[in-house]
């Protein structure tokens, strides 16, 4: 999570709503609509897919820019190196930079992430994976641990991807808190280089939706360049402004 | 600001775990799939053309008899799979609508090419085995 958008809201949690959700389908919708989280950041980021290839190595750049009706104009970037360490396990290391209030762009945090492909693609009704992250702020003794479920389901030439994350954060200058995040991407595999999608992000009292475009250009062997772009608009009273996210990933 | 840790997080955890178990239990673990086989030799797929039934999930086993690694790739099938030398790999495909679905080997795209034809016509049924987790 990018820390530049730290805001504080105290949300009344509807415990009865949460406790009533016990079936599989509702776990995702529960995370979308429940207000268990205290808002603390922004949920718009990459929608993760549950797949890992052996011998995969990648470098990645992500950019996130938010403009909120003249109130803010924030920018964050991530630089990452990732490598599969097993047939179904990928580790990725991130350096996270943000633009501060003085318009200086500095290192703000670092993170390690593990993505675990739990099922073979296409073997079951849907494909499953899990994600684990540990992030520490550079200047502060603030930590964040994330774990979550990744699901992808094919419907003909379209793919539905769901991410549901449980986040715990603590530190010297932030409150201990538990949060939930939900991300959805519905992608039409039109052309390899151009795949339009729609993305939905929810959590921390934020609800945003918008178009996304992604593609991949293959080179020899495992070398390929992936790109993603999305323009997300907040659609509830707590979510104002627009967020542009870009990602470029080179696999080799 | 009060912390959510003061909330009944154990309740949420139980709900999350139960939901997750139910999600996993939704697998159709007892399903049976038709099996098809392809051999990769000298950077060529044999057979290079294969017909499978429409609207059914099938199990494709690829035997890489070469001494080098290959990667099965198909955008239309939405599959990527590393084929280690002298090993068999399993790819689950479908259900697909009728049509032609090209695939190729990323390391030898000029020679290692093939197509899967999905047909609604009745096909001779190859051996049916229970699903396993062979990779």
């Amino acid at each position: 999570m990018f820390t530049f958008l730290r805001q504080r809201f105290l949300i009344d949690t509807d415990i009865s709503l949460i406790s009533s959700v016990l079936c599989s389908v509702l776990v995702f919708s529960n995370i979308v609509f429940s207000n268990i989280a205290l808002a603390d950041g922004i949920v718009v980021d990459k929608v993760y897919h549950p797949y890992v290839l052996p011998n995969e190595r990648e470098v990645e750049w992500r950019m996130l820019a938010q403009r909120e009706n003249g109130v803010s104009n924030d920018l964050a970037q991530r630089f990452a190196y990732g490598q599969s360490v097993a047939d179904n396990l990928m580790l990725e290391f991130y350096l996270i930079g943000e633009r501060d209030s003085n318009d200086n762009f500095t290192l703000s945090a670092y993170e390690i992430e593990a993505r675990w492909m739990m099922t073979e693609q296409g073997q079951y009704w849907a494909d499953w994976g899990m994600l684990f992250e540990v992030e520490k702020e550079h200047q502060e003794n603030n930590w964040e641990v994330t774990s979550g479920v990744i699901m992808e389901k094919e419907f003909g030439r379209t793919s539905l991807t769901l991410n549901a994350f449980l986040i715990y954060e603590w530190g010297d200058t932030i409150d201990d808190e538990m949060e939930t995040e939900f991300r959805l991407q519905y992608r039409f595999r039109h052309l390899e280089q151009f795949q339009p999608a729609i993305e939905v992000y929810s959590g921390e009292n934020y609800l945003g939706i918008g178009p996304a475009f992604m593609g991949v250009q293959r080179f020899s062997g495992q070398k390929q360049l992936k790109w993603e772009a999305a323009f997300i608009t907040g659609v509830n009273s707590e979510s104002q402004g627009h967020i542009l996210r870009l990602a470029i990933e080179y696999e080799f | 600001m009060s912390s959510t840790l003061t909330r009944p997080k154990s309740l949420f955890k139980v709900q999350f775990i139960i939901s997750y178990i139910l999600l996993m239990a939704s697998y159709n673990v007892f399903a049976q799939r038709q099996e098809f086989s392809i051999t990769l030799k000298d950077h060529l797929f044999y057979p290079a053309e294969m017909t499978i039934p429409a609207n059914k999930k099938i199990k494709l086993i690829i035997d890489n008899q070469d001494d080098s690694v290959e990667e099965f790739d198909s955008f239309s099938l939405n599959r990527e799979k590393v084929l280690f030398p002298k090993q068999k790999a399993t790819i689950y495909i479908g259900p697909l609508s009728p049509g032609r679905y090209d695939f190729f080997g990323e390391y030898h795209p000029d020679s290692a090419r093939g197509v899967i034809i999905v047909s609604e016509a009745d096909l001779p049924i190859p051996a049916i085995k229970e699903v396993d987790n062979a990779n």
Side-chain angles (χ1 to χ4, degrees):
Chain A
M1 169 193 325
F2 296 107
T3 54
F4 70 80
L5 291 170
R6 289 194 181 284
Q7 309 164 49
R8 299 293 174 188
F9 299 100
L10 181 59
I11 307 300
D12 292 329
T13 303
D14 188 346
I15 299 300
S16 62
L17 171 65
I18 294 170
S19 60
S20 67
V21 180
L22 291 173
C23 73
S24 59
V25 174
L26 289 183
V27 68
F28 292 112
S29 58
N30 172 49
I31 292 170
V32 172
F33 297 109
S34 74
N35 288 327
I36 191 170
L38 296 175
D40 190 45
I42 187 167
V43 300
V44 175
D45 195 357
K46 183 177 182 175
V47 178
Y48 287 92
H49 301 270
Y51 311 116
V52 173
L53 283 176
N55 305 329
E56 187 177 344
R57 290 177 297 166
E58 66 181 39
V59 289
E60 183 180 2
W61 168 78
R62 293 188 212 169
M63 188 277 287
L64 192 71
Q66 183 184 43
R67 185 177 290 273
E68 189 176 336
N69 299 336
V71 176
S72 65
N73 182 16
D74 299 307
L75 175 73
Q77 296 185 67
R78 285 174 178 241
F79 302 92
Y81 171 77
Q83 182 167 340
S84 57
V85 294
D87 287 1
N88 57 357
L89 183 66
M90 180 96 174
L91 292 182
E92 203 155 350
F93 305 91
Y94 292 90
L95 294 177
I96 303 166
E98 295 173 2
R99 186 167 59 197
D100 62 21
S101 54
N102 299 319
D103 279 347
N104 295 321
F105 191 82
T106 56
L107 175 68
S108 62
Y110 20 84
E111 177 185 303
I112 183 170
E113 171 190 289
R115 189 158 42 91
W116 173 30
M117 185 172 80
M118 298 170 63
T119 62
E120 192 68 26
Q121 187 175 10
Q123 185 173 6
Y124 300 111
W125 177 82
D127 307 321
W128 298 89
M130 290 199 76
L131 185 86
F132 304 94
E133 290 177 355
V134 179
E135 178 183 322
K136 183 190 179 300
E137 289 187 24
H138 179 53
Q139 302 282 8
E140 305 285 349
N141 186 32
N142 295 334
W143 293 79
E144 180 181 291
V145 175
T146 301
S147 61
V149 179
I150 305 169
M151 189 208 89
E152 185 156 319
K153 170 68 178 169
E154 273 184 50
F155 298 96
R157 290 182 65 188
T158 64
S159 296
L160 175 67
T161 309
L162 305 176
N163 296 175
F165 297 135
L166 189 62
I167 301 160
Y168 176 63
E169 62 181 31
W170 74 97
D172 294 343
T173 60
I174 59 173
D175 292 328
D176 294 2
E177 58 186 22
M178 192 90 77
E179 301 165 344
T180 56
E181 287 184 10
F182 174 83
R183 303 171 189 173
L184 177 152
Q185 181 187 84
Y186 187 58
R187 174 170 53 108
F188 175 53
R189 302 192 307 276
H190 176 54
L191 295 170
E192 221 169 352
Q193 291 82 4
F194 183 74
Q195 301 171 49
I198 187 165
E199 293 184 349
V200 177
Y201 295 86
S202 173
E204 307 185 33
N205 215 32
Y206 174 89
L207 180 61
I209 186 169
F213 305 92
M214 56 211 65
V216 57
Q217 179 61 52
R218 298 183 189 281
F219 305 105
S220 61
Q222 280 189 306
K223 296 182 181 68
Q224 54 186 21
L225 186 70
K226 293 180 177 176
W227 60 273
E228 293 185 14
F231 189 72
I232 307 300
T233 300
V235 293
N236 63 4
S237 58
E238 301 285 349
S239 315
Q240 297 179 350
H242 307 282
I243 295 175
L244 172 69
R245 78 169 187 89
L246 302 173
I248 295 177
E249 186 179 310
Y250 180 66
E251 293 183 7
F252 55 102
Chain B
M1 181 178 61
S2 64
S3 165
T4 47
L5 292 178
T6 60
R7 303 173 196 280
K9 65 178 183 180
S10 59
L11 182 62
F12 179 76
K13 281 184 177 176
V14 169
Q15 172 234 333
F16 193 89
I17 291 169
I18 291 174
S19 301
Y20 181 70
I21 291 171
L22 288 169
L23 279 166
M24 302 306 290
S26 66
Y27 292 159
N28 185 11
V29 293
F30 301 109
Q32 290 187 326
R33 311 249 167 78
Q34 289 185 31
E35 277 188 17
F36 295 82
S37 296
I38 289 179
T39 298
L40 178 67
K41 188 172 178 59
D42 299 328
H43 313 305
L44 295 168
F45 287 112
Y46 300 99
E49 187 174 303
M50 170 180 285
T51 303
I52 67 172
N55 305 315
K56 288 182 180 174
K57 190 172 283 192
I58 65 111
K59 184 177 178 180
L60 177 63
I61 298 172
I62 304 179
D63 183 6
N64 182 5
Q65 297 183 358
D66 286 336
D67 295 322
S68 58
V69 69
E70 186 56 275
E71 184 171 327
F72 178 95
D73 197 310
S74 172
F75 178 72
S76 54
L77 291 169
N78 193 30
R79 292 292 182 273
E80 277 184 286
K81 183 77 177 178
V82 174
L83 311 173
F84 289 105
K86 306 295 183 186
Q87 290 187 29
K88 292 181 180 178
T90 300
I91 301 174
Y92 296 91
I93 295 173
L96 295 170
S97 53
R100 293 172 62 89
Y101 297 81
D102 294 323
F103 63 87
F104 66 97
E106 280 195 349
Y107 289 97
H108 302 87
D110 295 331
S111 58
R113 305 194 70 88
V115 60
I116 290 178
I117 299 170
V118 179
S119 171
E120 286 184 313
D122 289 337
L123 301 172
I125 300 174
I128 297 177
K129 295 180 181 177
E130 288 190 2
V131 169
D132 58 38
N133 292 322
N135 194 28

